[in-house]
Structures are given as C-alpha cells and as structure tokens.
Amino acid sequence: MLEFCQALPKIELHAHLNGSIRNSTIRELAASKGDAVGLAREDILKITEDGDRNLAECFRLFDLIHKVTTEHTTVTRITREVLQDFADDNVIYIEIRTTPKDNAKFGITKQSYLDSVLAGMEGYIHKGEGSKMMARLILSIDRRETTEQALATVKLAAAYKTKGVVGIDLSGNPSIGEWATFVPALRKAQQQGLKVTLHAGEVTNSTEIKSMLEMQPDRLGHVCTFTDDELESARDIPIELCPTSNLRTESVKSYGTHHFGKIYGRGMPVVLCTDDSGVFNTTLSKEYAIVADAFSMDEEAMLQLASKAVDYIFDASPNVRTVLKGKFSAAWMRWNASILSQGAPCRSEARKLGCMGRKPFGMSVAIFAVAAVCIVQAFART
Ligand SMILES: CNc1ncnc2c1ncn2[C@@H]1O[C@H](COP(=O)(O)O)[C@@H](O)[C@H]1O
Ligand SMILES: [Zn+2]
C-alpha cells in the first residue's frame, strides 16, 4: 500500500515549516552554529532521533530548531528544501504554514522573515497545469504571542494576499495562552477575507473548543480530545488529521483507535496531513499508508480520500481547483486502467463506478474511458 500511496497525487494542508526540516539540514546547521547558539550535542540528537516525545518535549524541540534557523538565507533554504521533499512525495498542492518571527538580535522582522519564506517558495506559487506542485502559505499565530503580535501577523497576511498567503493558523503549545488573547486577530483575519484554521483539542479544554466552534473557522487541526457532541457541532468543518504526530505526542494510543475512524465513518470532511514531517520522521505517503492499513481501506477509498482534499483548500481561485481536479481525474483514469489490465471483470467495474455522486469531478470522463475499454474487450471476446 505504501507504494500505491507514494504514487497517489496528494494535497498537504497542515505542515509547519520548521517542523518539516530535513534531519540532515538540522545537523548541518547545528554543526556550523550550534556552539554559538548554545545548542548541545545531545539537543541535536534529540531533535533528529526517531522516537516518541510528548507535547511538552515537542515544543522544547521547536525552540531548539528555531535557534539554528535565524538567518534569512537559512529560512529561504529550508523552505526550498521542504517544498522539494513534498513535491518528491507526489504532493501536487501544499499549504505550508509558519510563524513570522521578530528577532532583533539577528535583524529579523516578521516581514523580512515572511519575505525569506516567499523567496524559498518562488517557482511554486504561480504555477499552472503542467507544474508538479503548487504552494500557498498560511501564517501562524503562536499561542505565546500577545494580541498586538497576533494582529501584526494578520496585518502582514492581508498585505501579502496576492503573493501567496491564503490564511491564518493558531498553533503553539496548547497548554499556553488564553483564547481571548487571539480573538481580535482571528476576527480581523476573517474580516479581511483570510481563511482561518485552528489547532483545536490537542489537550482537553471544552470551554476553548466551544469558543473556537462559535468562530466558525474554515478548518480545524487535530481535534484529538473532541467529544462526540463536539464532533457533531464541527460536522461541516474540514478537519486536518495528522496520525503520526498524534501518536508520537501521545495524544492517541494507537493508529487503530485514532479518531480518523470516527470522523471518516461519520462522513465528515477530513484531510490527512503530516504536521511536522521532520520532527516525526514521516511523509504524507506514509500517513496515507498508515491509515489504509489501520482502517482496512482499499486503493479506491484512498484515491477517494486524496481527491476530496481539493474541496478543502484555502486558495479560492477556480483555476487552481480545476488544475487539481484534472490531476485527480487523470489518477482515477490510471487506476481504472490498471484495474482493468489486472483482468477485473467489466461488470463489477461498471457497478463500482456507477455511484457517480460519490466520485470527484472528471469521473464521468473516467467512466466513459472504462466503458469504452469494456466494449472493446467485449467485442474482442466475441
Ligand atoms: C505537534 N503539534 C503541534 N501543535 C501545535 N503547534 C505546533 C505543533 N507542531 C508545530 N507547531 C507550531 O509550529 C512551530 C514550528 O514551525 P514554524 O516555526 O511556525 O515554522 C512550533 O513552534 C509551534 O508553534
Ligand atoms: Zn500542527
């Protein structure tokens, strides 16, 4: 299944830039400036080792990573590498997210940080039909920030809307910060026409979850602690799920008991994501394969799951959706052709493909293609 998931075109909607850095790059950066920033050898090992770490430990690791990504050139470099890695994993559209940082010591402002990220995204933003991957940017508000800092991030996002920024995220250590601190900025983002996604329910906090739902965000991330009732209230909001991240941070006990099962089973909108592919040593293909395995989903179900993500992207341009739907239509056609070449009987194929309401855009073309092959095969047999 991993091989199938690797070949599958995929959409990534929840990936933090500094959590997705290659381990080799972290080691290289730490070797060149680790001493200067007080990064010990065991710290570097902690960041790059492949193990479980609870949420608190995770946020300590992010602070360590941030110590070696302080130069503008480094920010541009890691952006370029992270995008390259997702493109190599057959991701066709990504919304990468990052927290613009003020760091006076290194001459970095939120705006210059953002410019450095966008420099690394060059070549991925204005892409069309023939391109391998399109990228957009979501700016994160860290829960450690003040209302003013959060508002500054939203102001920047609004000013950069035509340059690839599509939304605002609320993230950071869920045990820190008060919801009320972020409300003015998140409301401002909505007023400015920016999409909003919130890290929700990483730790139990029913009061905050209630307020988050009242805000009507465009997507939610994680929702690990959501009760059945809370899930029901979020029924129409697309949910970004990151199985390995949740397992590694001990937010869920096993893949088999991951809340993906409940959410998918209820027919709620859901998209699989990596969260921090560097820190958790994963890829989007691995996340798809893990879910397929844990919930006994076949290739058709995985293709269906991947295709549906087009409906949840923040970029509102019809052209972008058309390009993505075209790529998924082509994938459906390839899959149908491979099924036929394996000698699957035409009748069962026609029946499977008959449920057009569940199929994504372009399926009619695929059905026509399969029907044509069936007719040719039928003639060949007579
Ligand atoms: C594990 N679950 C998580 N929950 C909440 N926030 C997370 C996170 N994983 C990452 N981040 C957020 O993303 C930042 C790193 O990327 P950027 O410096 O923004 O590119 C972290 O500092 C944290 O604020
Ligand atoms: Zn996250």
Side-chain angles (χ1 to χ4, degrees), residues 4-74:
F4 174 81
C5 294
Q6 276 161 344
L8 197 63
K10 292 170 289 295
I11 288 181
E12 169 65 83
L13 299 180
H14 186 141
H16 299 268
L17 177 62
N18 279 279
S20 308
I21 306 175
R22 294 174 186 165
N23 275 346
S24 55
T25 300
I26 296 269
R27 281 194 212 101
E28 187 192 317
L29 292 171
S32 72
K33 64 182 295 186
D35 287 346
V37 294
L39 200 63
R41 212 182 114 69
E42 54 270 28
D43 288 335
I44 298 157
L45 281 176
K46 275 218 177 80
I47 299 170
T48 53
E49 78 190 358
D50 184 15
D52 293 356
R53 56 267 289 200
N54 63 28
L55 269 180
E57 175 67 4
C58 238
F59 290 105
R60 210 181 75 80
L61 291 191
F62 290 128
D63 288 344
L64 296 177
I65 293 172
H66 289 145
K67 285 188 177 195
V68 293
T69 56
T70 43
E71 261 93 43
H72 290 115
T73 48
T74 305

Side-chain angles (χ1 to χ4, degrees), residues 100-289:
K101 298 158 181 71
D102 271 320
N103 196 340
K105 194 171 152 202
F106 293 93
I108 292 192
T109 64
K110 277 181 186 273
Q111 180 163 4
S112 69
Y113 177 90
L114 172 56
D115 287 333
S116 306
V117 173
L118 288 171
M121 291 175 72
E122 215 184 285
Y124 288 103
I125 294 179
H126 300 290
K127 288 233 162 175
E129 190 94 43
S131 68
K132 199 166 176 212
M133 183 175 85
M134 278 185 273
R136 297 290 179 268
L137 187 60
I138 294 173
L139 299 189
S140 300
I141 295 168
D142 187 322
R143 294 181 67 107
R144 285 179 290 199
E145 292 187 296
T146 61
T147 301
E148 287 64 40
Q149 288 170 319
L151 278 166
T153 296
V154 170
K155 198 171 166 199
L156 258 187
Y160 279 69
K161 259 168 77 178
T162 55
K163 295 183 179 158
V165 177
V166 287
I168 288 288
D169 156 57
L170 176 67
S171 54
N173 191 335
S175 307
I176 292 179
E178 290 297 320
W179 168 249
T181 309
F182 316 114
V183 172
L186 295 169
R187 287 246 179 265
K188 185 92 190 159
Q190 288 180 321
Q191 286 157 11
Q192 302 273 346
L194 289 158
K195 302 280 187 186
V196 170
T197 177
L198 306 172
H199 280 62
E202 274 191 281
V203 294
T204 307
N205 188 341
S206 53
T207 317
E208 183 175 278
I209 290 171
K210 188 165 177 286
S211 307
M212 284 182 164
L213 292 175
E214 277 164 12
M215 178 166 273
Q216 298 184 303
D218 300 283
R219 292 200 306 253
L220 288 170
H222 296 303
V223 307
C224 307
T225 69
F226 273 39
T227 61
D228 285 353
D229 286 348
E230 285 163 348
L231 278 184
E232 201 46 45
S233 308
R235 137 155 306 285
D236 298 326
I237 305 174
I239 297 181
E240 308 150 357
L241 290 182
C242 315
T244 297
S245 164
N246 298 151
L247 193 83
R248 290 288 175 82
T249 56
E250 299 157 11
S251 305
V252 300
K253 287 199 172 65
S254 67
Y255 288 125
T257 57
H258 192 278
H259 43 295
F260 170 86
K262 199 187 274 185
I263 289 170
Y264 180 76
R266 289 180 180 206
M268 291 170 63
V270 60
V271 53
L272 294 180
C273 307
T274 54
D275 208 12
D276 300 289
S277 55
V279 170
F280 300 125
N281 188 24
T282 190
T283 63
L284 194 52
S285 297
K286 281 192 198 169
E287 297 305 304
Y288 272 78

